[in-house]
Amino acid sequence: MSEEYSKVLERMRNEYYRQTGMFPDENSDIQIKMKILAGELHALGVNIDWLKRQLNPETADGEYLNYHGSKLGLTRKPPAKASGTVRFYTGGELFSDYVIKAGTLVSTSGKNPVRFETTEAVILSAGADYADAKVRAVEGGSSGNVNTGEVSVMVSLLQPVSKVTNLSKFTGGTDEESDEDFRSRIVAAQSFPATGTNAAYYEKLALSVTGVGAAYVSPKRRGKGTVDIFILPNGAVEESQVLENLEALVLQERELGVDVDVLKATSVQGSVTVTIYPDEGYTFDTVKTNCSEAVQRKVSNLTIGEDLKLSDIGDALYHAQGVYDYKFDSSSSNITAGENRIITGVTLTMKEGV
């Protein structure tokens, strides 16, 4: 860590005293020069600290983290555009059909409006009161996930249209992959290098697709020369689109002669009954909340195909704040996932011990 400015200046003043037997006056020329030099040395130290952080993918950020990813063939997931449906209303009786062209712009109101464009042409039929059209955000990002009724501005003026609105919430918009999430993929790729012939290669492909929350690869499940990729969509993008995007990527990047299938993993819910003995000074309700949160954190770190052992649940309970002791019911056991399933939740039935 770089030395503080005051420490640098103090060392310089002390060295001056050691060599001259006196400290420089506060307003003297030498004191002013010392202050300037101390400031520059401090700034240099700060820059060196920053440079050290960028040399390691576990501490790098921004474009320098991108450089580390590129060495492993990884790129940051770009923002995804939200989509939905808007309804165009006529201002009066329409005597002939009117075509609303693809690319027609609408937006939300306010200081920072979010703009959307129609993705296809639709016909506002003669005699009709309205027409629905699919739209997509002009720019990617979670800001496009607007709530019902927030789209209200006609950017492209259409003579027969009096107003526009969205009757349901828009979905699918995601921000650019964060440093934290991208760093996790980089560190994982370093720990399990993808050679093009192992499961890590296909897992890396799957996790590079926007909308994939987790992935599990099962080689030779259908015989020699086959690879099955199970994914759990994270809800950022429509599931069918996620599967389609991954299938297209795999078709382009797979090894020659390898039959790769992309499948959606099944979500599994488990249940456990346990008696909790609260520590002194804690209410049972408080401890119950702490236990539930601790177990859910454990569950959130599971991957597709990974079982949840009773001992792991016990470890989470033991370290939950306010727990003195616990005892599982005899009916409780390990929660098994299976290769194409992922445990996403545990129903924790808790009894108060005395």
Side-chain angles (χ1 to χ4, degrees), residues 318-335:
Y318 180 77
H319 289 94
Q321 189 173 10
V323 173
Y324 175 75
D325 201 0
Y326 67 91
K327 182 179 180 181
F328 288 115
D329 187 84
S330 59
S331 62
S332 299
S333 60
N334 297 338
I335 302 173

Side-chain angles (χ1 to χ4, degrees), residues 52-61 65 183:
K52 288 179 180 178
R53 292 196 300 272
Q54 306 315 311
L55 293 175
N56 189 334
E58 294 188 6
T59 52
D61 52 36
L65 186 61
R183 183 180 295 112

Side-chain angles (χ1 to χ4, degrees), residues 69 72-74 182-194 200 204:
L72 298 168
L74 299 176
F182 190 32
R183 183 180 295 112
S184 296
R185 289 203 292 128
I186 292 174
V187 173
Q190 289 178 322
S191 302
F192 304 98
K204 184 181 79 170

Side-chain angles (χ1 to χ4, degrees), residues 94-109:
L94 194 63
F95 296 101
S96 61
D97 292 351
Y98 183 87
V99 178
I100 300 175
K101 298 179 180 179
T104 297
L105 294 174
V106 296
S107 77
T108 59
S109 60

Side-chain angles (χ1 to χ4, degrees), residues 80 82 108 112-114 116 137 139-147 150 173-175:
T108 59
N112 299 299
V114 182
F116 301 88
E139 297 181 355
S142 59
S143 60
N145 299 326
V146 298
N147 292 319
E150 289 192 359
T174 59
D175 296 322

Side-chain angles (χ1 to χ4, degrees), residues 42-60:
H42 171 67
L44 179 61
V46 170
N47 287 333
I48 291 175
D49 286 345
W50 175 84
L51 182 59
K52 288 179 180 178
R53 292 196 300 272
Q54 306 315 311
L55 293 175
N56 189 334
E58 294 188 6
T59 52

